[in-house]
């Protein structure tokens, strides 16, 4: 019996693929950095493959139609907005994601963003590099204590819940809004209170986004939201760039409607808007939520196991469609 042919499109760790390579015929293709050329290569070759692991390249209707033999698509990450999940389902193709491996490192980055914003690390770092040793006795040069502050979480899945655990340990008040309210036992463990969206944005000292990219969440954080937020509030986004209207964010920051932002994701990756780059009250990282050595090994292993389980055991792990 011939082995299933698997195409890898992304930066998976080679040392995580041993089990997959024993059972399947694995090819490492382009990662998708050269958007047009890499996509054309995949369109020309995808018909030969039974499974694919894809990091960032769009698997839209055109790509799926070209994939004549494809049976499973595994994303390399928790997000799957770059895959036309419904059309894949129509074509009988399973789509799986990797929700477990990214949980802890993404929550850790969120906590880092919160603390770096509160303690104004971007401002201090920039001043020192410009040769200015700020006077910490001046009120305007001081940061903020997070104990007692309200962390408002939009999207209370597993990552949001882990962020809530960190916040609870640091003495923050946690409120959240989600499509579904958590059960009473979990709310008690997290010491988190469910509120409506309007209350969430009005009471937030730190508004942390952990919702998926969908039609409903596109620009859910917009000009109207910023007008309702506290002038001392910070926006934290380690989820998806499309959740935030970046033009509205820039205007809110310029107008003092919020105090600052910390962003790991952007609408136009890998090109954040220059106005954000120039602001001392904006902290930016290049979409590195899962970028630790351990997490990337585990993520590669999780993606590989999605495919391996499907072809070896007939079980679809982490299926999203």
């Amino acid at each position: 019996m011939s082995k299933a042919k698997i195409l890898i499109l992304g930066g998976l760790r080679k040392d995580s693929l041993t089990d997959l390579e024993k059972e399947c015929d694995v090819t490492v293709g382009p990662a998708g950095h050269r958007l047009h050329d890499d996509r054309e290569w995949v369109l020309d070759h995808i018909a030969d493959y039974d499974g694919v692991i894809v990091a960032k390249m769009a698997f839209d209707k055109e790509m799926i139609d070209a994939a004549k033999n494809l049976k499973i698509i595994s994303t390399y990450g928790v997000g799957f907005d770059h895959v036309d999940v419904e059309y894949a389902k129509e074509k009988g193709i399973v789509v799986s994601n990797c929700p477990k491996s990214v949980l802890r490192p993404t929550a850790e980055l969120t906590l880092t963003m919160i603390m770096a914003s509160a303690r104004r690390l971007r401002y201090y770092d920039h001043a020192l590099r410009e040769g200015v040793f700020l006077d910490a006795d001046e009120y305007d040069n001081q940061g903020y204590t997070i104990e007692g502050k309200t962390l408002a979480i939009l999207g209370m899945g597993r990552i949001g819940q882990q962020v809530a655990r960190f916040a609870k340990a640091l003495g923050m008040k946690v409120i959240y809004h989600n499509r579904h309210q958590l059960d009473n036992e979990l709310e008690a463990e997290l010491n988190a209170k469910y509120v409506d969206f309007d209350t969430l944005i009005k009471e937030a000292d730190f508004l942390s986004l952990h919702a998926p990219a969908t039609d409903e969440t596109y620009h859910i954080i917009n000009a109207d939201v910023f007008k309702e937020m506290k002038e001392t509030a910070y926006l934290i986004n380690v989820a998806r760039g499309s959740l935030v209207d970046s033009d509205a964010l820039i205007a809110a920051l310029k107008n003092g409607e919020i105090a600052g932002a910390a962003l790991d994701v952007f609408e136009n990756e890998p090109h954040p808007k220059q106005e954000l780059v120039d602001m001392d009250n904006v902290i930016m990282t290049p979409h590195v939520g899962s970028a630790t050595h351990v997490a990337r090994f585990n993520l590669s292993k999780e993606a590989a196991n999605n495919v391996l389980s499907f072809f070896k055991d007939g079980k679809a792990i982490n299926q999203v469609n």
Side-chain angles (χ1 to χ4, degrees):
M1 182 177 175
S2 61
K3 292 182 176 181
K5 297 186 68 176
I6 311 302
L7 179 62
I8 294 177
L9 304 171
L12 275 73
R13 288 269 297 268
K14 177 69 175 174
D15 54 351
S16 72
L17 302 178
T18 305
D19 292 339
L20 183 64
E21 289 174 333
K22 287 179 182 177
E23 300 292 334
C24 301
D25 182 3
V26 177
T27 300
V28 177
H33 301 304
R34 301 176 305 155
L35 294 180
H36 176 75
D37 292 343
D38 288 359
R39 181 177 173 83
E40 288 302 311
W41 187 94
V42 177
L43 284 169
D44 289 342
H45 293 83
I46 192 63
D48 295 335
Y49 292 93
D50 303 293
V52 64
I53 299 174
V54 57
K56 297 180 180 179
M57 193 177 297
F59 257 71
D60 51 17
K61 187 176 186 294
E62 179 187 29
M63 190 73 83
I64 291 170
D65 282 338
K68 304 296 184 183
N69 295 310
L70 202 62
K71 301 169 184 65
I72 182 170
I73 301 168
S74 175
T75 64
Y76 179 56
V78 67
F80 48 87
D81 47 296
H82 56 306
V83 178
D84 191 331
V85 173
E86 292 305 315
Y87 191 65
K89 185 176 182 179
E90 287 181 28
K91 292 292 185 176
I93 300 171
V94 168
V95 179
S96 293
N97 70 339
C98 300
K100 302 183 182 78
S101 306
V102 303
L103 191 162
R104 179 79 184 200
T106 304
E108 288 176 353
L109 180 62
T110 303
L111 178 62
T112 302
M113 294 288 209
I114 292 169
M115 299 185 74
S117 297
R119 297 307 303 269
R120 304 177 70 185
L121 292 194
R122 169 70 174 87
Y123 173 58
Y124 295 152
D125 181 81
H126 186 206
L128 273 173
R129 293 177 191 277
E130 293 295 315
V132 179
F133 202 94
L134 294 166
D135 182 358
D137 289 334
E138 292 186 13
Y139 183 86
D140 288 344
N141 289 336
Q142 295 169 4
Y144 307 96
T145 298
I146 63 172
E147 184 179 12
K149 292 292 193 294
T150 296
L151 173 63
I153 298 175
L154 178 62
M156 199 60 141
R158 283 180 281 193
I159 294 174
Q161 290 169 28
Q162 184 58 51
V163 173
R165 291 185 181 95
F166 289 153
K168 176 185 175 183
L170 293 169
M172 300 184 78
K173 174 185 175 183
V174 179
I175 61 176
Y176 75 96
H177 182 74
N178 198 46
R179 283 177 295 180
H180 307 290
Q181 185 172 354
L182 303 179
D183 62 50
N184 293 337
E185 185 176 345
L186 185 52
E187 280 191 340
E189 178 203 332
L190 302 175
N191 197 23
K193 178 184 178 183
Y194 179 82
V195 297
D196 61 34
F197 182 75
D198 288 342
T199 301
L200 187 85
I201 61 176
K202 288 177 181 177
E203 294 190 2
D205 292 309
F206 297 88
L207 175 59
S208 190
L209 309 182
H210 301 283
T214 65
D215 291 341
E216 291 75 22
T217 61
Y218 178 76
H219 283 187
I220 191 170
I221 307 301
N222 52 43
D224 291 337
V225 168
F226 291 124
K227 287 179 172 56
E228 295 296 322
M229 291 178 68
K230 297 177 182 178
E231 293 180 355
T232 54
Y234 287 86
L235 174 71
I236 314 292
N237 188 10
V238 299
R240 282 292 183 264
S242 62
L243 273 60
V244 180
D245 182 336
S246 54
D247 289 330
L249 172 59
I250 291 166
L253 290 165
K254 286 182 176 179
N255 297 333
E257 291 175 340
I258 62 172
L263 311 170
D264 185 48
V265 290
F266 307 89
E267 283 200 277
N268 188 35
E269 292 183 18
H271 305 291
K273 295 201 171 187
Q274 190 61 41
E275 293 96 327
L276 294 172
V277 174
D278 293 337
M279 292 180 180
D280 274 338
N281 58 345
V282 177
I283 296 168
M284 296 187 296
T285 51
H287 204 147
V288 295
S290 65
T292 69
H293 300 301
V294 170
R296 284 299 172 90
F297 176 84
N298 291 340
L299 179 57
S300 298
K301 196 76 172 176
E302 188 173 5
N305 285 342
N306 284 345
V307 174
L308 180 60
S309 176
F310 181 84
F311 287 109
K312 184 180 179 182
D313 303 323
K315 297 177 182 178
I317 303 175
N318 300 319
Q319 185 171 350
V320 297
N321 67 341

